[in-house]
Amino acid sequence: MRVGLLTGGGDCPGLNAVIRAVVRKGIESYGWDTVGFRNGWQGPVEGLVKPIGLDQVEDILTRGGTILGSSRTNPYKIDGGVDRIRENLAKFEVDALIAIGGEDTLGVAKRLTDDGIGVVGVPKTIDNDLGATDYTFGFDTAVHIATEAIDRLRTTAESHHRALVIEVMGRHAGWIALHSGLAGGANVILVPERHFNVDQVIDWVQRRFEREYAPIIVVAEGALPEGGEEKLLTGEKDAFGHVRLGGIGQWLAEEIATRTGKESRAVVLGHVQRGGTPTAYDRVLATRFGLHAADAVQDGDFGVMVALRGTDIVRVKLAEATAELKTVPGSRLQEAEVFFG
């Protein structure tokens, strides 16, 4: 059997650990040939193939990013895209695909399965917003990076007696903001799941200043004030219809400065949350996902995604995994509000 791998969507730490696990398990346990398709779904559409064997994965466990490259290519937005995938799979004698990605990548995987192409999915996203799995790899590393940034920014905020607004990733789900904000001791955490009242935020900030401490506000890029609109970097959309968000942190910092008369600064962590070495947790989780994805392919169990349930890795239908985003429940937000202000 020859199996192809690809990594799609935004990169994150742990992708290489999945690739390594699939290749080692496939070659050493099942006698597969393995190849990598470069740059996400662009690879099978355009026939961009990269040899990938034991030598290629020997030292990639600790490396961030992906040795296969990534893109936001959507074959269903390309004329003849699916037919070209079929032709290239036949050309390179690839019997099955393992697609490593988030909602968009796995959404394509689900549609390809419906169209008769054998695909197994592995859940990857720093946003932790994929349904049917308790955690996605990449999330733990992103939270760790954001928390360290909050710790560092707190010292300069206290030194200058100013408010600091830290904008983190999170288009529709505020998991990074919630976890890093709690871990970093933020005084306000704002997430997309609940529109925030600016007057309430100012009150929390004022209370912090009155106690002669510097307020720390963590805000997800997709958070919205009541009656407000998303802050866009550009109006341009990608192949999956997403616009680039950004700017809520700067807007909020200016509001705080205007209403309180205190200095306020905004820091956008941006893509630094995606980069660097994965945490030990993400390395282990990604490795386990890779091993179980290889088992699913060997069993001919296509149209599934490997998922974490408790401490076990299970298989769920791609349709279930991509049915809806996993957002932060209200109960978790209520827990966090104890520490606001």
Side-chain angles (χ1 to χ4, degrees):
M1 178 181 282
R2 174 170 289 178
V3 177
L5 297 89
L6 64 86
T7 53
D11 68 300
C12 78
L15 285 166
N16 287 324
V18 178
I19 296 168
R20 172 178 176 268
V22 170
V23 170
R24 289 183 63 94
K25 183 72 176 282
I27 292 176
E28 296 186 344
S29 297
Y30 298 132
W32 294 351
D33 290 328
T34 51
V35 296
F37 284 101
R38 296 170 52 204
N39 304 333
W41 289 114
Q42 182 185 2
V45 170
E46 299 184 7
L48 306 177
V49 176
K50 174 179 180 176
I52 183 168
L54 295 177
D55 289 343
Q56 286 72 39
V57 301
E58 180 63 32
D59 60 351
I60 66 172
L61 178 64
T62 62
R63 288 172 57 182
T66 165
I67 64 170
L68 296 179
S70 189
S71 74
R72 296 191 182 277
T73 302
N74 183 350
Y76 286 93
K77 294 291 186 178
I78 299 172
D79 288 341
V82 176
D83 290 335
R84 291 164 66 180
I85 289 177
R86 293 184 195 277
E87 292 167 3
N88 284 317
L89 292 180
K91 175 182 177 180
F92 295 106
E93 299 179 330
V94 173
D95 301 296
L97 285 173
I98 293 178
I100 310 164
E103 59 167 324
D104 296 326
T105 301
L106 297 182
V108 170
K110 191 266 181 189
R111 293 184 67 179
L112 288 175
T113 300
D114 293 342
D115 289 334
I117 297 174
V119 188
V120 168
V122 177
K124 169 248 35 163
T125 168
I126 65 170
D127 292 327
N128 197 42
D129 60 359
L130 266 176
T133 184
D134 291 347
Y135 283 98
T136 56
F137 72 87
F139 172 67
D140 186 72
T141 303
V143 169
H144 179 82
I145 291 168
T147 301
E148 183 178 14
I150 295 168
D151 292 344
R152 292 177 181 274
L153 290 167
R154 181 182 298 280
T155 59
T156 187
E158 295 288 0
S159 297
H160 292 274
H161 314 292
R162 59 170 62 126
L164 263 174
V165 180
I166 299 119
E167 182 181 313
V168 300
M169 286 185 169
R171 177 186 300 275
H172 300 299
W175 292 105
I176 294 177
L178 178 65
H179 280 237
S180 64
L182 282 173
N187 308 110
V188 182
I189 301 170
L190 306 175
V191 297
E193 289 84 349
R194 179 184 295 175
H195 294 185
F196 62 89
N197 183 289
V198 179
D199 293 335
Q200 176 65 79
V201 172
I202 297 301
D203 179 63
W204 283 324
V205 168
Q206 289 279 34
R207 284 162 52 186
R208 188 70 176 170
F209 275 129
E210 289 169 3
R211 296 172 59 194
E212 299 186 352
Y213 289 104
I216 300 293
I217 301 95
V218 176
V219 56
E221 62 186 348
L224 287 173
E226 293 176 352
E229 297 180 348
E230 290 179 322
K231 303 298 178 181
L232 307 181
L233 286 179
T234 71
E236 184 179 347
K237 295 183 179 181
D238 65 18
F240 292 94
H242 301 309
V243 293
R244 291 181 60 193
L245 298 182
I248 187 64
Q250 183 61 43
W251 178 85
L252 185 57
E254 292 172 359
E255 284 290 309
I256 291 171
T258 299
R259 297 195 187 201
T260 66
K262 302 285 189 179
E263 261 195 292
S264 182
R265 296 286 189 273
V267 176
V268 181
L269 295 187
H271 287 78
V272 71
Q273 295 159 91
R274 293 192 181 280
T277 301
T279 61
Y281 180 87
D282 275 341
R283 295 183 206 183
V284 172
L285 181 59
T287 297
R288 295 183 69 200
F289 277 158
L291 296 175
H292 283 263
D295 291 339
V297 170
Q298 183 66 20
D299 293 342
D301 192 7
F302 300 119
V304 301
M305 181 190 82
V306 293
L308 180 69
R309 295 279 178 86
T311 58
D312 297 326
I313 305 296
V314 300
R315 300 174 192 174
V316 299
K317 293 295 184 182
L318 280 168
E320 178 186 352
T322 58
E324 61 181 356
L325 290 178
K326 180 181 67 181
T327 55
V328 178
S331 59
R332 295 292 302 276
L333 299 177
Q334 289 175 348
E335 291 173 354
E337 286 181 359
V338 173
F339 302 100
F340 288 3

